[in-house]
Amino acid sequence: MVKMTIVGRVSDGFPLAQGPRYLNQEHDSFSFYKQQAEFILKEISRGALAPSKMTIRVDHHSFHYLMENGISCFITLCDSSYPRKLAFHYLQDLQKEFQKFDISLIDKITRPYSFVKFESIIGNIRKQYVDTRTQANLSKLNANRGQDLDVVTEHMYQIVERKRQSEISEEILTATRKHVSSIWGSPRLEVIALKWTPIAIIVAVAAILLWANLVLTDEFIV
């Protein structure tokens, strides 16, 4: 069944609305999955998850997300046994309702999960997908039955590992830049520069004068 739904803004990974809570476990379990959903939203925002739709496995659940034109993202958590096809039909229905709102107003939302107008819509649409055996849902499942969904599937640990490797690479790059900067900005180099720059200038001027003198001498002889 559909257990959790979050709608977010892609530009900054900001959570706009969430559906009613349907996890029967302890509060800690709900918080864990909510954090996972918010993590997915942030990864989409920073471009680490490029596909417009994706399934992400985590223990005995699956996150499904659908991104709309790089503007909004719809994420739902379902049991692994829940038909993926229905999950994406659910997200598409949310997407259609979301499109009816003024995007400029949504861009002005500054408090997480404060788009309360959409929460009741999430609840109403979810009710249509609770029972997978209704005629409407069976029709959706049987439509284009021979065609597989074009959806990328990954495990959460793979995404977390990529994030970790990205952070390590960034730390190494930052440390390297600081090291190079500290070398060129060190007092030792400043002393060397103060000591040898005047000498280098004198040598350069002397070389130019000598060259000029030789040129004039050759011209006089000719």
Side-chain angles (χ1 to χ4, degrees), residues 81-221:
S81 59
Y82 189 82
R84 181 162 66 168
K85 197 171 186 178
L86 274 188
F88 279 99
H89 271 290
Y90 167 65
L91 295 176
Q92 287 169 354
D93 286 351
L94 292 178
Q95 181 186 45
K96 291 175 183 176
E97 290 298 320
F98 192 83
Q99 290 172 343
K100 297 177 182 179
F101 290 89
D102 187 349
I103 296 298
S104 63
L105 295 177
I106 294 170
D107 287 340
K108 295 177 182 178
I109 296 176
T110 57
R111 289 191 299 112
Y113 302 109
S114 60
F115 188 23
V116 292
K117 290 182 179 179
F118 201 70
E119 291 184 0
S120 59
I121 295 174
I122 294 173
N124 290 334
I125 294 177
R126 179 197 172 272
K127 291 176 183 177
Q128 303 171 24
Y129 288 87
V130 172
D131 187 355
T132 60
R133 297 166 298 176
T134 64
Q135 187 59 47
N137 287 335
L138 288 174
S139 297
K140 292 171 185 175
L141 287 172
N142 291 326
N144 301 320
R145 195 168 186 176
Q147 297 179 8
D148 292 331
L149 281 174
D150 184 19
V151 178
V152 177
T153 302
E154 281 197 278
H155 289 271
M156 181 64 79
Y157 73 83
Q158 294 174 299
I159 298 170
V160 172
E161 179 62 20
R162 278 204 306 271
K163 170 74 170 175
R164 190 180 72 86
Q165 293 296 334
S166 175
E167 290 175 345
I168 292 174
S169 299
E170 185 63 30
E171 289 174 1
I172 293 173
L173 183 61
T174 301
T176 302
R177 286 172 178 169
K178 287 182 179 179
H179 181 65
V180 172
S181 177
S182 64
I183 290 175
W184 287 104
S186 65
R188 181 186 292 269
L189 281 181
E190 291 180 3
V191 171
I192 294 173
L194 289 173
K195 179 179 179 180
W196 290 101
T197 298
I199 297 174
I201 293 173
I202 293 171
V203 171
V205 171
I208 292 171
L209 291 175
L210 179 61
W211 175 79
N213 184 48
L214 292 174
V215 170
L216 292 174
T217 300
D218 290 343
E219 289 180 351
F220 179 77
I221 292 173

Side-chain angles (χ1 to χ4, degrees), residues 49-62:
L49 296 176
S52 60
K53 52 186 176 181
M54 189 173 184
T55 294
I56 300 169
R57 309 287 189 191
V58 51
D59 52 57
H60 54 284
H61 290 88
S62 294

Side-chain angles (χ1 to χ4, degrees), residues 36 41 89:
Q36 294 282 301
L41 183 58
H89 271 290

